Amino acid sequence: MTVRFALLGHPVGHSISPSMMQPALNRLSPGGRYEAADVTPEDLPQLLRDLLARGYTGFNLTHPHKVAAASLVQRLSLAARRCGAINCIAVEADGRLTGYNTDLGGIRYLLEGLDPAPRSALLLGAGGAARATAGALEDLGLPAPAFATRSPDTAAAFRRFFPAATGHPWYRLAEPAFAAGFDLVVNCTPVGMLPGADETPVSDCFHSGQTVLDLIYNPRPTRLLREAREAGARVQDGLEMLAVQGALALTIWLGLDEAPVEQLIGIAEELLPAEW
């Protein structure tokens, strides 16, 4: 039986996930297919039902669906319950849907490599990616982060899952000293993603000794990372996170004994080499 998986997001034209996941599927489950579908939040429930009826057995969710999609499944993994957001759905043997948060494992992979470990962290955004980042920081025993968002409702929802986090209004990012005061700054928003490569969520605030992570991976690098690197900060984009969360999703869908992390990272690097 041919297995079929899909990435659901809006937009998805920038995503390399189909080009990354398909070669891995060719090796791990010959004949399997991985596709992408651009779907608005309003149309997501119906499209999910349609794809299930057509025999799809696994889905990845990307912006802006990670929080809302958690209400469309019958079960949540522990990581998904902790974050209140999912980026992976598996159809179980009984037909019920389980939501997973493999983003958390992908971000933890990035954070584990930081030396020294950050003593303070600022998350730009408070959506699904920010929740996964907060969960990864918590897993590693790092301090609860601060976060900045434009929406009071989004801030309140974030703090229901991470009550120790400190919320700030988005306009604080216009104060250079604000973001400059954190060891780690993580962009968890789509600002700077193609086709908006000339945009950045924050500027003129970085310095040596900081680490700046941008969960965007296309373009490589983003304007945010270029400016941070020029100011002397250590920088990291989201390509390895993308690969790790994809490897974890394949492990769930195919029942693998070991996540094909190195395989997916290698494919992703070939598809989208950095252009510093």
Side-chain angles (χ1 to χ4, degrees), residues 16-195:
I16 67 165
S17 286
S19 299
M20 177 185 73
M21 299 287 269
Q22 189 61 56
L25 264 181
N26 292 344
R27 177 179 175 184
L28 297 168
S29 183
R33 294 175 58 188
Y34 186 98
E35 304 154 3
D38 192 313
V39 56
T40 64
E42 296 77 16
D43 292 335
L44 177 64
Q46 184 60 54
L47 179 63
L48 187 60
R49 288 192 291 269
D50 291 346
L51 294 177
L52 288 169
R54 291 163 55 189
Y56 286 73
T57 56
F59 306 91
N60 282 136
L61 291 307
T62 188
H63 180 82
H65 302 315
K66 295 180 181 181
V67 173
S71 66
L72 301 179
V73 302
Q74 289 78 50
R75 302 183 181 112
L76 293 172
S77 70
L78 177 59
R81 287 199 302 273
R82 286 176 55 210
C83 298
I86 64 175
N87 70 303
C88 177
I89 296 174
V91 181
E92 307 295 353
D94 61 5
R96 301 177 76 183
L97 305 183
T98 300
Y100 296 86
N101 195 309
T102 62
D103 275 347
L104 195 153
I107 297 169
R108 189 168 57 220
Y109 182 91
L110 297 183
L111 296 176
E112 285 172 338
L114 297 183
D115 185 21
R119 294 167 296 177
S120 60
L122 171 65
L123 311 184
L124 309 182
R131 293 185 187 189
T133 304
L137 289 167
E138 187 174 78
D139 282 353
L140 296 173
L142 299 175
F147 66 94
T149 181
R150 292 184 175 90
S151 167
D153 291 341
T154 302
F158 184 94
R159 294 203 65 221
R160 282 199 293 272
F161 292 91
F162 300 98
T166 305
H168 297 273
W170 192 257
Y171 65 74
R172 290 294 308 275
L173 299 179
E175 307 168 16
F178 177 65
F182 294 89
D183 294 340
L184 172 66
V185 178
V186 186
N187 180 29
C188 305
T189 78
V191 178
M193 182 177 72
L194 289 178

Side-chain angles (χ1 to χ4, degrees), residues 250-275:
L250 288 172
T251 303
I252 293 166
W253 295 333
L254 300 177
L256 304 178
D257 294 329
E258 184 176 352
V261 170
E262 295 304 319
Q263 180 184 353
L264 269 290
I265 289 176
I267 294 170
E269 290 283 0
E270 288 184 8
L271 288 169
L272 201 63
E275 299 179 356

